[in-house]
Amino acid sequence: MPKSTRAVLIPILAVAVVGLAVFFFLSDNRESIKKARPGAGPTAEEGTSPADSRPKRTVNLLFLRDESDALIPEAREIVADPSSPAFEAREILGELLKGSQSGLLSTVPPETKLIQVYITKDGTAYVDFSREFADRHPSGSNAEIATIYAVVDSLAYNLKSVKKVCLLVDGEERETLAGHIAINHPILPDFSMIAAD
Amino acid sequence: MAVWACRSRRKSGTACAVLLIAAILAAVPSAPAALRNIVIDPGHGGLDVGAKGKFGSHEKDVTLAVSLKLKTLIEKTMSCRVIMTRDKDFDVSLENRAAVANNNNAQLFISIHANGSVRNKAHGAETFFMNVNASDEETRKLAYLENTSGELDKRIPDEAQDEVKMILWDMAQTAYVRQSQRLAEMIQEEINAALKIENRGIKQAGFKVLQGVACPAVLVEIAFISNAEEERKLNDEYFQNHVAEALHRGLVRYLKLFPQK
Ligand SMILES: [Zn+2]
């Protein structure tokens, strides 16, 4: 093959491959979404500047107290965007990862980063955390249940469009969070985990 | 590419499940009818240490110690065959633990663990049975299976077979949830009576190790290894014996109530 032809063909092939990837990503939101992670979509800037005039809303994030297993809501302001539940989901989880502002216990390992959140039409939120979410988890049934429902319920409690949550770790499906509770299927919220108040 | 990789991974999982099911089907007729098989599953092992205590104990060691004591008690007093998913410190996958039960035509499966919490104060014993957290799609497929069980192979087209069997394997425990709950109640009652630690009751959760087990199955969290006081107890041989005796009494009561599988 002459060099000049190759020079033309390679970019065309590259474009075709990218195009196909995008096509598969868009055409199959159930399977492909688990692996495809398009160039880490920009989330809202951390910490709103004093001049930030974007509309806000109050959400309830779930933490623990040392006394009981019940998840305790803590009110927090996030930037609101009613047209994009995925944006609000990222805001909610970003705040959850920052930990409690009133001395409650966090259920998520502090090193955990949020990579991405998608919400499909059927109401499944795909939440992709960095590997610390599972690898730095202390393990234990009680701790795993608390982590899973703090995340799942924090989303479903504040976002009507979220019906169930699929937890991914660094883009991959894991069998369990840390040796006990299965996270290889979508998890339904369980609001009975939240403290009655 | 990423999409393809994801699909192929799913396929190999399905193939694996089909093999396991084939193994179960092969094992069923050859099992002796009179002798009951009890599978004891000491949680974790090998590189998977489980939850850790503040004084350095590992969940995997405590679970094995109690499991071996329970095995001895059962063999001494009951006409049962005890099968351990592990009897030393090594890794066993969660799927293989369920497969041990199914391949041996087990009548009971008991998984033994020690709890861990981010709350230092968390303490007490609890017994779990599986929470069926099936998605809509899985529920639909299960309903389809129940309606077609007899003629399953004739009515499902070849290409759909693998996936249906995968669901069946994933969800094997769904058929035994009620019996598992009875077993959990009896074990928890005995633990409460024997131990002077807080009764946390019976609970449901999506334990991976229970999902594929095709017989009554429970998971016992003896005490919290993350709690300093209970970590000390968990390492105490007297406490371990006490727990094993309570578990044993729970199993005996259950087997009297349900002599057959
Ligand atoms: Zn465990």
Side-chain angles (χ1 to χ4, degrees):
Chain A
M1 194 188 302
K3 239 187 184 149
S4 59
T5 318
R6 208 186 307 168
V8 173
L9 266 180
I10 285 170
I12 289 176
L13 273 174
V15 168
V17 166
V18 171
L20 264 178
V22 169
F23 170 77
F24 274 116
F25 175 69
L26 293 176
S27 66
D28 184 348
N29 62 10
R30 205 176 74 91
E31 288 299 323
S32 62
I33 214 154
K34 293 176 184 172
K35 291 285 281 203
R37 199 201 306 155
T43 53
E45 306 83 61
E46 300 272 308
T48 51
S49 66
D52 189 351
S53 60
R54 291 178 292 178
K56 306 285 196 306
R57 66 173 278 218
T58 303
V59 292
N60 284 293
L61 308 174
L62 298 170
F63 297 99
L64 278 178
R65 244 198 274 282
D66 209 19
E67 284 70 30
S68 93
D69 282 330
L71 294 167
I72 313 289
E74 181 178 293
R76 193 81 58 91
E77 288 234 302
I78 60 160
V79 175
D81 185 353
S83 68
S84 172
F87 172 84
E88 291 195 344
R90 285 190 280 272
E91 288 280 298
I92 289 166
L93 294 175
E95 290 298 322
L96 185 73
L97 293 184
K98 285 183 192 165
S100 167
Q101 293 174 347
S102 62
L104 299 172
L105 298 170
S106 182
T107 61
V108 181
E111 306 88 347
T112 307
K113 304 262 186 303
L114 178 64
I115 296 174
Q116 196 50 286
V117 182
Y118 303 98
I119 301 174
T120 59
K121 267 178 262 162
D122 72 340
T124 308
Y126 287 88
V127 178
D128 188 8
F129 285 119
S130 64
R131 56 180 62 254
E132 290 84 2
F133 179 66
D135 294 349
R136 303 300 294 267
H137 196 279
S139 185
S141 310
N142 188 275
E144 288 175 45
I145 291 168
T147 306
I148 289 167
Y149 287 100
V151 172
V152 172
D153 286 1
S154 287
L155 284 177
Y157 194 70
N158 295 296
L159 296 170
K160 281 205 179 67
S161 57
V162 173
K163 307 291 180 221
K164 52 192 171 183
V165 177
C166 214
L167 296 170
L168 305 175
V169 179
D170 198 23
E172 301 274 349
E173 198 179 86
R174 291 268 177 117
E175 191 175 55
T176 65
L177 177 51
H180 297 95
I181 310 298
I183 57 168
N184 58 348
H185 58 85
I187 296 161
L188 301 170
D190 180 358
F191 294 141
S192 74
M193 301 283 298
I194 302 173
D197 197 318
Chain B
M1 188 60 198
V3 177
W4 185 85
C6 192
R7 289 214 170 116
S8 77
R9 195 158 54 97
R10 191 182 169 86
K11 270 231 170 81
S12 71
T14 308
C16 195
V18 170
L19 277 179
L20 284 167
I21 285 163
I24 301 159
L25 293 177
V28 169
S30 62
L35 200 63
R36 287 184 294 210
N37 300 323
I38 296 178
V39 170
I40 304 176
D41 174 43
H44 313 279
L47 289 175
D48 171 15
V49 302
K52 282 169 270 193
K54 298 216 166 33
F55 302 116
S57 3
H58 289 165
E59 186 187 349
K60 65 170 183 176
D61 300 319
V62 174
T63 61
L64 182 59
V66 173
S67 297
L68 289 170
K69 288 180 161 62
L70 176 59
K71 177 181 193 276
T72 308
L73 278 173
I74 294 172
E75 285 173 343
K76 224 188 271 175
T77 60
M78 301 157 81
S79 61
C80 289
R81 190 162 76 98
V82 177
I83 302 124
M84 306 279 287
T85 57
R86 68 178 179 101
D87 58 5
K88 291 191 180 62
D89 183 18
F90 53 78
D91 284 277
V92 185
S93 75
L94 295 175
E95 204 165 56
N96 281 347
R97 291 169 196 256
V100 166
N102 298 348
N103 292 348
N104 286 287
N105 192 26
Q107 269 74 54
L108 282 182
F109 178 91
I110 176 167
S111 188
I112 296 175
H113 288 249
N115 220 334
S117 176
V118 292
R119 304 191 294 110
N120 291 328
K121 285 184 187 166
H123 64 285
E126 56 197 5
T127 308
F128 284 93
F129 61 107
M130 202 193 72
N131 177 20
V132 184
N133 185 354
S135 70
D136 300 344
E137 191 192 357
E138 284 162 345
T139 310
R140 189 172 54 75
K141 281 181 180 151
L142 279 171
Y144 179 72
L145 274 176
E146 277 163 13
N147 295 332
T148 57
S149 50
E151 310 166 79
L152 195 61
D153 286 34
K154 274 176 250 163
R155 291 178 56 176
I156 299 175
D158 272 356
E159 62 272 23
Q161 283 262 7
D162 281 3
E163 189 158 0
V164 171
K165 281 184 180 165
M166 182 67 185
I167 299 278
L168 185 60
W169 169 253
D170 268 356
M171 295 275 130
Q173 180 59 204
T174 44
Y176 300 93
V177 168
R178 220 165 291 168
Q179 290 170 64
S180 297
Q181 179 174 357
R182 286 300 286 142
L183 177 59
E185 282 164 1
M186 289 179 177
I187 286 176
Q188 186 65 27
E189 280 168 20
E190 294 299 332
I191 292 177
N192 292 343
L195 306 181
K196 290 176 183 76
I197 54 178
E198 191 197 357
N199 170 26
R200 296 173 55 89
I202 61 163
K203 292 184 174 173
Q204 274 181 290
F207 281 95
K208 177 68 195 171
V209 73
L210 299 180
Q211 280 177 2
V213 179
C215 71
V218 295
L219 186 145
V220 185
E221 295 283 357
I222 301 163
F224 280 79
I225 202 167
S226 55
N227 176 297
E229 169 67 5
E230 292 198 349
E231 180 184 8
R232 191 190 55 74
K233 281 187 184 169
L234 283 164
N235 284 296
D236 176 31
E237 187 135 0
Y238 176 80
F239 181 84
Q240 291 176 356
N241 274 319
H242 225 51
V243 173
E245 285 160 12
L247 298 176
H248 176 245
R249 280 194 295 275
L251 295 179
V252 169
R253 271 180 64 199
Y254 179 84
L255 287 173
K256 273 191 191 142
L257 198 69
F258 297 100
Q260 296 305 313
K261 186 180 179 181

